[in-house]
Amino acid sequence: MNTAEIQALNDACIINTYGARKLAIARGEGATLWDADGREYLDCFAGIAVCNLGHCHPAVTEAIRDQAGKLLHVSNLYYIEQQARLAQLLSQHCFAQKWFFCNGGAEANEAAIKITRRYWAQKGTPKPHIVTADQSFHGRTMATITATGQPKYHQGFEPMVPGFRYVPFNDLAALEAAITPEVGAVMLEPIQGEGGVRMPADGYLRAVRELCDARGILLIFDEVQTGLGRTGPLFAHQDFGIQPDIMTLAKGLANGVPIGAMGCTDEVAQGFSPGAHACTFGGNPLSCAAALATLETLTGPGFLDRAKAVGNSFMDQLKALAAEHPQIVEVRGKGLMIGVEFKEPVAPLITRMIESGIICGPAGPNVLRFLPPLIVTEEQMARVVSVLAACLGELGW
Ligand SMILES: *Cc1c(COP(=O)(O)O)cnc(C)c1O
């Protein structure tokens, strides 16, 4: 089918939650995508920070093929070797000692919210409230849209789930005031993604950790977007010299096979006992085999350092470009999670970029966001900068 045929079929039978889409992608390899009409693109969005190893990475493809020929699914009524090995490997690379697997980011955050509430309930000191940040994004289930500090995601879905309160990101005094005795946790993205690629202020995350310790409550990091090498280290919090009590992962964990994970300390893991939580597909052999191959590749020698260097040089070039274009308010981000804020909506710019063969996307109305696969080269990203410069020229920005 060509793009027009796919669009017509889509519009006839898909519920319109995504609006008009520009492309129908048919094939990918590395950082290159081809649409249904055969046009080629350089992918700078990686399926929203999912395909961190690029499309159809041979190690992941091989793991999927191999596992698909052995066993796809058995449910968590039985032990699953790939699931246990994935948990072990994840634990070798971060603070979390215990894991729960599910199918995506919202489910991982649901698990984090539920284990937090149950942890405090079991201790006999219920603290069901959770503080999150304005402009945050935590998913689309009822509890996770409630956790999401953006009213536009709540509209029409009221009543919200009780027990959430919001503070401005980077405002420590507001957080301090929000932590009353019924608050059991603070939940943050270490770098806000969907809300506009917003960086934590210097010292903010460390101060949040100290505040949580002082008040004896839990810190949850939603690393669904920032995790798996996206910002430089394997997990974003590792560059800030602190650890949360709970961390959630999804997007990049299996390079495109659906999976989510909630990891926590041994202490917090006590919050869930048999029967407390479950997920039919969670941690199934296929998704875990893909995640194992992904994680082994990401943590291979030099992989993350190389991606970080490409990100740094891309960032430098964008900053130089910003100096020549008054429409650019700020270039920010870390590693290969980069946002360019403009004075006006970026939709026309994204359209021009795609027409010029570069796939990128927004983060809120005025921020152009780049989330390329971590395997992109300096040459590819230099091409992105020159295409961007040309598109800005065409728009008179
Ligand atoms: C994408 C995202 C989610 C939601 O993940 P889904 O897999 O779409 O449910 C949650 N938190 C953050 C930070 C995200 O970027």
Side-chain angles (χ1 to χ4, degrees), residues 26-101:
R27 193 163 63 85
E29 188 182 324
T32 308
L33 290 171
W34 289 270
D35 71 16
D37 305 329
R39 264 190 307 261
E40 184 178 312
Y41 303 87
L42 175 60
D43 184 9
C44 283
F45 222 53
I48 322 183
V50 168
C51 301
N52 287 359
L53 300 180
H55 300 280
C56 302
H57 188 280
V60 182
T61 302
E62 182 51 36
I64 293 169
R65 269 197 230 284
D66 180 58
Q67 191 58 48
K70 282 185 190 147
L71 186 69
L72 283 184
H73 175 82
V74 289
S75 90
N76 286 296
L77 296 173
Y78 315 102
Y79 295 118
I80 299 171
E81 176 184 339
Q82 294 78 5
Q83 186 184 126
R85 284 178 41 218
L86 176 59
Q88 178 188 42
L89 186 59
L90 282 165
S91 288
Q92 282 164 5
H93 290 284
C94 71
F95 75 97
Q97 292 145 327
K98 292 278 163 62
W99 295 87
F100 177 86
F101 291 101

Coordinates of all heavy atoms in Angstrom, one line a residue, residues 26-101:
A26 N 7.5 2.4 6.3 CA 7.4 1.0 5.9 C 8.6 0.2 6.3 O 8.5 -1.0 6.6 CB 7.3 0.9 4.4
R27 N 9.8 0.8 6.5 CA 11.0 0.0 6.7 C 12.1 0.9 7.4 O 12.1 2.1 7.1 CB 11.5 -0.5 5.3 CG 12.6 -1.5 5.3 CD 12.7 -2.2 4.0 NE 13.1 -1.3 2.9 CZ 14.4 -1.0 2.6 NH1 15.3 -1.5 3.3 NH2 14.7 -0.1 1.6
G28 N 13.0 0.2 8.1 CA 14.1 1.0 8.8 C 15.3 0.2 8.9 O 15.3 -1.1 9.0
E29 N 16.4 0.9 8.9 CA 17.7 0.2 9.1 C 18.6 1.2 9.7 O 18.9 2.3 9.2 CB 18.3 -0.3 7.8 CG 19.5 -1.2 8.0 CD 20.1 -1.6 6.6 OE1 19.3 -1.9 5.7 OE2 21.3 -1.7 6.6
G30 N 19.2 0.9 10.9 CA 20.0 1.9 11.6 C 19.2 3.2 11.8 O 18.1 3.1 12.4
A31 N 19.7 4.3 11.4 CA 19.0 5.6 11.6 C 18.3 6.0 10.4 O 17.8 7.2 10.3 CB 20.0 6.7 12.0
T32 N 18.1 5.1 9.4 CA 17.5 5.4 8.2 C 16.1 4.8 8.1 O 15.9 3.6 8.5 CB 18.3 5.0 7.0 OG1 19.6 5.5 7.1 CG2 17.7 5.4 5.7
L33 N 15.1 5.6 7.7 CA 13.7 5.1 7.5 C 13.3 5.3 6.1 O 13.7 6.2 5.4 CB 12.8 5.8 8.4 CG 12.9 5.5 9.9 CD1 12.0 6.5 10.7 CD2 12.5 4.1 10.3
W34 N 12.4 4.4 5.6 CA 11.8 4.6 4.3 C 10.3 4.6 4.4 O 9.7 3.7 5.1 CB 12.2 3.5 3.3 CG 13.7 3.5 2.9 CD1 14.2 4.2 1.8 CD2 14.8 2.9 3.6 NE1 15.6 4.1 1.8 CE2 16.0 3.3 2.9 CE3 14.9 2.2 4.8 CZ2 17.2 2.9 3.3 CZ3 16.2 1.7 5.2 CH2 17.3 2.1 4.4
D35 N 9.6 5.5 3.7 CA 8.2 5.5 3.8 C 7.5 4.6 2.8 O 8.3 4.0 2.0 CB 7.6 7.0 3.8 CG 7.7 7.6 2.4 OD1 8.0 7.0 1.4 OD2 7.6 8.9 2.4
A36 N 6.2 4.6 2.8 CA 5.5 3.6 2.0 C 5.6 4.0 0.5 O 5.3 3.2 -0.4 CB 4.0 3.5 2.4
D37 N 6.1 5.2 0.2 CA 6.3 5.6 -1.2 C 7.7 5.5 -1.6 O 8.1 6.0 -2.7 CB 5.8 7.0 -1.4 CG 4.3 7.2 -1.0 OD1 3.5 6.2 -1.1 OD2 3.9 8.3 -0.5
G38 N 8.6 5.0 -0.7 CA 10.0 4.8 -1.0 C 10.9 5.9 -0.7 O 12.1 5.8 -0.9
R39 N 10.4 7.0 -0.1 CA 11.2 8.1 0.3 C 12.1 7.8 1.5 O 11.6 7.2 2.4 CB 10.4 9.4 0.5 CG 10.3 10.3 -0.7 CD 9.7 11.7 -0.3 NE 8.4 11.4 0.4 CZ 7.2 11.5 -0.2 NH1 7.1 11.8 -1.5 NH2 6.1 11.3 0.5
E40 N 13.3 8.3 1.5 CA 14.3 8.0 2.6 C 14.3 9.2 3.6 O 14.3 10.3 3.2 CB 15.6 7.8 1.9 CG 16.7 7.3 2.9 CD 18.0 7.0 2.3 OE1 18.0 6.3 1.2 OE2 19.0 7.5 2.8
Y41 N 14.5 8.8 4.9 CA 14.6 9.8 5.9 C 15.7 9.5 6.9 O 16.0 8.3 7.1 CB 13.3 9.9 6.7 CG 12.1 10.2 5.9 CD1 11.4 9.2 5.3 CD2 11.7 11.5 5.7 CE1 10.3 9.5 4.5 CE2 10.6 11.8 4.9 CZ 9.9 10.8 4.3 OH 8.8 11.1 3.5
L42 N 16.3 10.5 7.5 CA 17.2 10.3 8.7 C 16.3 10.4 9.9 O 15.7 11.5 10.1 CB 18.3 11.3 8.7 CG 19.2 11.3 9.9 CD1 19.9 9.9 10.0 CD2 20.3 12.4 9.8
D43 N 16.3 9.4 10.7 CA 15.4 9.4 11.9 C 16.0 10.1 13.1 O 17.1 9.6 13.6 CB 15.1 7.9 12.3 CG 14.1 7.8 13.4 OD1 13.5 8.9 13.8 OD2 13.9 6.7 13.9
C44 N 15.5 11.2 13.5 CA 15.9 11.9 14.7 C 14.9 11.9 15.8 O 14.8 12.8 16.6 CB 16.3 13.3 14.3 SG 17.9 13.4 13.5
F45 N 14.0 10.8 15.8 CA 13.0 10.7 16.9 C 13.0 9.3 17.5 O 12.5 9.1 18.6 CB 11.7 11.2 16.4 CG 10.9 12.0 17.4 CD1 11.5 13.1 17.9 CD2 9.6 11.7 17.8 CE1 10.8 13.9 18.9 CE2 8.9 12.5 18.7 CZ 9.5 13.6 19.2
A46 N 13.5 8.3 16.7 CA 13.6 7.0 17.2 C 12.3 6.4 17.8 O 12.3 5.7 18.8 CB 14.7 6.9 18.3
G47 N 11.2 6.7 17.1 CA 9.9 6.2 17.6 C 9.6 6.7 19.1 O 9.1 5.9 19.9
I48 N 9.9 8.0 19.3 CA 9.8 8.6 20.6 C 10.8 8.0 21.6 O 10.4 7.4 22.6 CB 8.4 8.7 21.2 CG1 7.4 9.0 20.1 CG2 8.3 9.8 22.3 CD1 5.9 9.1 20.6
A49 N 12.1 8.0 21.4 CA 13.1 7.6 22.3 C 13.0 6.1 22.6 O 13.4 5.6 23.6 CB 13.1 8.3 23.6
V50 N 12.5 5.3 21.6 CA 12.4 3.9 21.8 C 13.6 3.1 21.1 O 14.2 2.3 21.7 CB 11.0 3.4 21.2 CG1 11.0 1.8 21.1 CG2 9.9 3.9 22.1
C51 N 13.8 3.4 19.8 CA 14.7 2.6 19.1 C 16.1 3.1 19.2 O 16.8 3.7 18.3 CB 14.3 2.5 17.6 SG 12.7 1.8 17.4
N52 N 16.6 3.1 20.5 CA 17.9 3.7 20.8 C 19.1 3.0 20.1 O 20.1 3.6 19.8 CB 18.2 3.6 22.3 CG 17.3 4.6 23.1 OD1 16.5 5.3 22.5 ND2 17.4 4.6 24.4
L53 N 19.0 1.8 19.7 CA 20.0 1.1 18.9 C 19.8 1.2 17.4 O 20.5 0.6 16.6 CB 20.1 -0.4 19.2 CG 20.3 -0.8 20.7 CD1 20.3 -2.3 20.9 CD2 21.7 -0.2 21.2
G54 N 18.8 2.0 17.0 CA 18.5 2.2 15.6 C 17.5 1.1 15.2 O 17.2 0.2 16.0
H55 N 17.1 1.1 14.0 CA 16.0 0.2 13.5 C 16.6 -1.1 13.1 O 17.7 -1.2 12.5 CB 15.2 0.8 12.4 CG 14.6 2.1 12.8 ND1 13.4 2.1 13.6 CD2 14.9 3.4 12.8 CE1 13.0 3.3 13.9 NE2 14.0 4.1 13.4
C56 N 16.0 -2.2 13.5 CA 16.4 -3.6 13.2 C 17.8 -3.8 13.5 O 18.6 -4.4 12.7 CB 16.1 -3.8 11.7 SG 14.4 -3.6 11.2
H57 N 18.2 -3.5 14.7 CA 19.6 -3.8 15.1 C 19.8 -5.3 15.1 O 19.0 -6.0 15.6 CB 19.9 -3.2 16.5 CG 21.3 -3.3 17.0 ND1 21.8 -4.5 17.4 CD2 22.3 -2.4 17.0 CE1 23.1 -4.3 17.7 NE2 23.4 -3.1 17.4
P58 N 20.9 -5.8 14.5 CA 21.1 -7.2 14.3 C 21.0 -8.0 15.6 O 20.4 -9.1 15.6 CB 22.4 -7.3 13.6 CG 23.0 -6.0 13.4 CD 22.0 -5.0 13.8
A59 N 21.6 -7.5 16.7 CA 21.6 -8.3 17.9 C 20.1 -8.5 18.4 O 19.8 -9.5 18.9 CB 22.4 -7.6 19.0
V60 N 19.3 -7.4 18.3 CA 17.9 -7.5 18.8 C 17.1 -8.4 17.9 O 16.3 -9.2 18.3 CB 17.3 -6.1 19.0 CG1 15.9 -6.2 19.5 CG2 18.2 -5.2 19.9
T61 N 17.3 -8.2 16.6 CA 16.6 -9.0 15.6 C 16.8 -10.5 15.8 O 15.9 -11.3 15.8 CB 16.9 -8.5 14.2 OG1 16.6 -7.1 14.0 CG2 16.2 -9.3 13.1
E62 N 18.1 -10.8 16.0 CA 18.5 -12.2 16.2 C 17.9 -12.7 17.5 O 17.3 -13.9 17.5 CB 20.0 -12.3 16.3 CG 20.6 -13.6 16.4 CD 20.1 -14.6 15.4 OE1 19.9 -14.2 14.2 OE2 19.9 -15.8 15.8
A63 N 17.9 -11.9 18.5 CA 17.3 -12.4 19.8 C 15.8 -12.7 19.7 O 15.2 -13.6 20.2 CB 17.5 -11.4 20.9
I64 N 15.1 -11.8 18.9 CA 13.7 -11.9 18.7 C 13.4 -13.2 17.9 O 12.5 -14.0 18.2 CB 13.1 -10.7 18.0 CG1 13.1 -9.5 18.9 CG2 11.6 -10.9 17.6 CD1 12.8 -8.1 18.2
R65 N 14.1 -13.3 16.8 CA 14.0 -14.5 15.9 C 14.2 -15.8 16.7 O 13.4 -16.7 16.6 CB 15.1 -14.5 14.8 CG 14.7 -13.8 13.5 CD 15.7 -14.3 12.5 NE 16.3 -13.2 11.8 CZ 15.7 -12.5 10.8 NH1 14.4 -12.8 10.5 NH2 16.2 -11.5 10.2
D66 N 15.2 -15.8 17.5 CA 15.6 -17.0 18.2 C 14.5 -17.4 19.3 O 14.0 -18.5 19.3 CB 16.9 -16.8 18.9 CG 17.4 -18.0 19.7 OD1 17.5 -19.1 19.1 OD2 17.6 -17.9 21.0
Q67 N 14.1 -16.3 20.0 CA 13.1 -16.6 21.0 C 11.7 -16.9 20.4 O 11.0 -17.8 21.0 CB 12.9 -15.3 21.9 CG 12.1 -15.6 23.2 CD 12.7 -16.7 24.0 OE1 13.8 -16.8 24.3 NE2 11.8 -17.6 24.4
A68 N 11.4 -16.3 19.3 CA 10.1 -16.6 18.6 C 10.0 -18.0 18.2 O 8.9 -18.6 18.2 CB 9.9 -15.6 17.4
G69 N 11.1 -18.6 17.9 CA 11.1 -20.0 17.6 C 11.1 -21.0 18.8 O 10.9 -22.2 18.6
K70 N 11.3 -20.4 20.0 CA 11.3 -21.3 21.2 C 10.0 -21.2 22.0 O 9.4 -22.2 22.3 CB 12.4 -20.9 22.1 CG 13.8 -21.4 21.6 CD 14.8 -21.1 22.6 CE 16.2 -21.3 22.1 NZ 17.2 -20.4 22.7
L71 N 9.7 -19.9 22.4 CA 8.5 -19.7 23.3 C 8.2 -18.2 23.3 O 9.1 -17.4 23.6 CB 8.9 -20.2 24.7 CG 7.8 -20.2 25.7 CD1 6.8 -21.2 25.4 CD2 8.4 -20.4 27.1
L72 N 7.0 -17.9 23.1 CA 6.6 -16.4 23.1 C 6.1 -16.0 24.5 O 6.4 -15.0 25.0 CB 5.5 -16.1 22.1 CG 5.9 -16.0 20.6 CD1 4.7 -15.6 19.8 CD2 7.0 -15.0 20.5
H73 N 5.2 -16.9 25.0 CA 4.5 -16.4 26.2 C 4.0 -17.6 27.0 O 3.6 -18.6 26.5 CB 3.2 -15.6 25.7 CG 2.3 -15.3 26.9 ND1 2.6 -14.2 27.6 CD2 1.2 -15.8 27.4 CE1 1.7 -14.1 28.6 NE2 0.8 -15.1 28.4
V74 N 4.1 -17.5 28.3 CA 3.6 -18.5 29.2 C 2.8 -18.0 30.4 O 2.1 -18.7 31.1 CB 4.7 -19.4 29.8 CG1 5.3 -20.3 28.8 CG2 5.7 -18.6 30.5
S75 N 2.9 -16.7 30.6 CA 2.3 -16.0 31.8 C 3.2 -16.1 33.0 O 4.1 -17.0 33.0 CB 0.9 -16.5 32.1 OG 0.9 -17.5 33.0
N76 N 2.9 -15.3 34.0 CA 3.6 -15.3 35.2 C 3.2 -16.3 36.2 O 3.5 -16.3 37.4 CB 3.7 -13.9 35.8 CG 4.6 -13.0 35.0 OD1 5.8 -13.2 34.9 ND2 4.0 -12.0 34.3
L77 N 2.4 -17.3 35.7 CA 2.0 -18.5 36.6 C 3.3 -19.4 36.7 O 3.3 -20.3 37.5 CB 0.9 -19.3 35.9 CG -0.4 -18.5 35.8 CD1 -1.4 -19.3 35.0 CD2 -1.0 -18.2 37.2
Y78 N 4.3 -19.1 35.8 CA 5.5 -19.9 35.8 C 6.7 -19.1 35.8 O 6.7 -17.9 35.5 CB 5.5 -20.8 34.5 CG 4.1 -21.4 34.2 CD1 3.3 -20.9 33.3 CD2 3.7 -22.4 35.0 CE1 2.0 -21.4 33.1 CE2 2.4 -23.0 34.9 CZ 1.6 -22.4 33.9 OH 0.3 -22.9 33.8
Y79 N 7.8 -19.6 36.2 CA 9.1 -18.9 36.2 C 9.5 -18.7 34.8 O 9.3 -19.5 33.9 CB 10.2 -19.7 36.9 CG 10.0 -19.8 38.4 CD1 9.8 -21.1 39.0 CD2 9.9 -18.7 39.2 CE1 9.6 -21.2 40.3 CE2 9.7 -18.8 40.6 CZ 9.5 -20.1 41.1 OH 9.3 -20.2 42.5
I80 N 10.1 -17.5 34.5 CA 10.6 -17.2 33.1 C 12.1 -16.8 33.2 O 12.4 -15.8 33.8 CB 9.8 -16.0 32.6 CG1 8.3 -16.4 32.5 CG2 10.3 -15.6 31.2 CD1 7.3 -15.2 32.2
E81 N 12.9 -17.7 32.6 CA 14.4 -17.5 32.7 C 14.8 -16.1 32.2 O 15.6 -15.4 32.9 CB 15.1 -18.6 31.9 CG 16.6 -18.3 31.9 CD 17.4 -19.4 31.1 OE1 16.8 -20.5 30.8 OE2 18.5 -19.1 30.7
Q82 N 14.3 -15.7 31.0 CA 14.7 -14.4 30.4 C 14.3 -13.2 31.3 O 15.1 -12.3 31.4 CB 14.0 -14.2 29.1 CG 14.4 -15.2 28.0 CD 13.7 -16.6 28.1 OE1 12.9 -16.8 29.0 NE2 14.2 -17.5 27.3
Q83 N 13.2 -13.3 32.0 CA 12.8 -12.3 32.9 C 13.7 -12.1 34.1 O 14.1 -11.0 34.5 CB 11.3 -12.6 33.4 CG 10.7 -11.5 34.2 CD 9.3 -11.9 34.8 OE1 9.1 -11.8 36.0 NE2 8.4 -12.3 33.9
A84 N 14.1 -13.2 34.7 CA 15.0 -13.2 35.9 C 16.4 -12.7 35.4 O 17.0 -12.0 36.2 CB 15.0 -14.6 36.5
R85 N 16.8 -13.2 34.3 CA 18.1 -12.7 33.8 C 18.1 -11.2 33.5 O 19.1 -10.5 33.7 CB 18.6 -13.6 32.6 CG 19.0 -15.0 33.0 CD 19.4 -15.8 31.8 NE 20.2 -15.1 30.8 CZ 20.1 -15.3 29.5 NH1 19.2 -16.2 29.0 NH2 20.8 -14.5 28.7
L86 N 17.0 -10.7 32.9 CA 16.9 -9.3 32.6 C 17.0 -8.5 33.9 O 17.7 -7.5 34.0 CB 15.6 -9.0 31.9 CG 15.4 -7.5 31.6 CD1 16.5 -6.9 30.7 CD2 14.0 -7.3 30.8
A87 N 16.3 -8.9 34.9 CA 16.3 -8.3 36.2 C 17.7 -8.2 36.8 O 18.2 -7.2 37.3 CB 15.3 -9.0 37.2
Q88 N 18.4 -9.4 36.7 CA 19.8 -9.5 37.2 C 20.7 -8.5 36.5 O 21.4 -7.8 37.1 CB 20.3 -10.9 37.0 CG 21.7 -11.1 37.5 CD 22.2 -12.5 37.1 OE1 22.0 -13.0 36.0 NE2 22.9 -13.1 38.0
L89 N 20.5 -8.4 35.2 CA 21.4 -7.6 34.4 C 21.1 -6.1 34.7 O 22.0 -5.3 34.8 CB 21.2 -7.9 32.9 CG 22.2 -7.1 31.9 CD1 23.6 -7.4 32.2 CD2 21.9 -7.5 30.5
L90 N 19.8 -5.7 34.8 CA 19.5 -4.4 35.1 C 20.1 -4.0 36.5 O 20.7 -2.9 36.7 CB 18.0 -4.2 35.2 CG 17.3 -4.1 33.8 CD1 15.7 -4.3 34.0 CD2 17.5 -2.7 33.2
S91 N 20.0 -4.9 37.4 CA 20.5 -4.6 38.8 C 22.0 -4.5 38.8 O 22.5 -3.7 39.6 CB 20.1 -5.7 39.8 OG 18.7 -5.7 40.0
Q92 N 22.7 -5.1 37.9 CA 24.1 -4.9 37.8 C 24.5 -3.5 37.4 O 25.7 -3.1 37.5 CB 24.7 -6.0 36.8 CG 24.9 -7.4 37.5 CD 25.1 -8.5 36.5 OE1 25.2 -8.2 35.3 NE2 25.1 -9.7 36.9
H93 N 23.5 -2.8 36.8 CA 23.8 -1.5 36.3 C 23.2 -0.3 37.0 O 23.2 0.8 36.6 CB 23.5 -1.4 34.8 CG 24.4 -2.3 34.0 ND1 25.7 -1.9 33.6 CD2 24.2 -3.5 33.4 CE1 26.3 -2.8 32.9 NE2 25.4 -3.8 32.8
C94 N 22.5 -0.6 38.1 CA 21.8 0.5 38.9 C 21.5 0.1 40.3 O 21.8 -1.0 40.7 CB 20.6 1.0 38.1 SG 19.2 -0.2 38.2
F95 N 20.9 1.0 41.0 CA 20.6 0.8 42.5 C 19.6 -0.3 42.7 O 19.5 -0.8 43.8 CB 20.1 2.1 43.1 CG 18.7 2.4 42.6 CD1 17.6 2.1 43.5 CD2 18.4 2.9 41.4 CE1 16.3 2.2 43.0 CE2 17.1 3.1 41.0 CZ 16.1 2.8 41.8
A96 N 18.7 -0.5 41.8 CA 17.5 -1.3 42.0 C 17.8 -2.7 42.2 O 18.6 -3.3 41.4 CB 16.4 -1.1 40.9
Q97 N 17.3 -3.3 43.2 CA 17.6 -4.8 43.5 C 16.5 -5.7 43.1 O 16.7 -6.9 43.0 CB 17.9 -4.9 45.0 CG 19.1 -4.2 45.5 CD 19.1 -3.6 46.8 OE1 18.0 -3.1 47.3 NE2 20.2 -3.6 47.5
K98 N 15.3 -5.1 43.0 CA 14.1 -6.0 42.6 C 13.3 -5.3 41.5 O 13.2 -4.1 41.4 CB 13.2 -6.2 43.8 CG 13.9 -7.1 44.9 CD 13.8 -8.5 44.6 CE 14.7 -9.4 45.5 NZ 14.5 -9.3 46.9
W99 N 12.6 -6.1 40.7 CA 12.0 -5.6 39.5 C 10.6 -6.2 39.3 O 10.3 -7.4 39.7 CB 12.8 -5.9 38.2 CG 14.1 -5.2 38.3 CD1 15.3 -5.7 38.9 CD2 14.4 -3.9 37.8 NE1 16.3 -4.7 38.8 CE2 15.8 -3.6 38.1 CE3 13.7 -3.0 37.1 CZ2 16.4 -2.4 37.7 CZ3 14.3 -1.8 36.7 CH2 15.6 -1.5 37.0
F100 N 9.7 -5.4 38.7 CA 8.4 -5.9 38.3 C 8.3 -5.5 36.8 O 8.5 -4.3 36.4 CB 7.3 -5.3 39.1 CG 5.9 -5.7 38.6 CD1 5.3 -6.8 39.0 CD2 5.2 -4.9 37.6 CE1 4.1 -7.2 38.6 CE2 4.0 -5.3 37.1 CZ 3.4 -6.5 37.6
F101 N 7.9 -6.4 35.9 CA 7.8 -6.1 34.5 C 6.4 -6.0 34.0 O 5.5 -6.7 34.5 CB 8.6 -7.2 33.7 CG 10.1 -7.1 33.9 CD1 10.7 -8.0 34.8 CD2 10.8 -6.1 33.3 CE1 12.1 -7.9 35.0 CE2 12.2 -6.0 33.5 CZ 12.8 -6.9 34.4

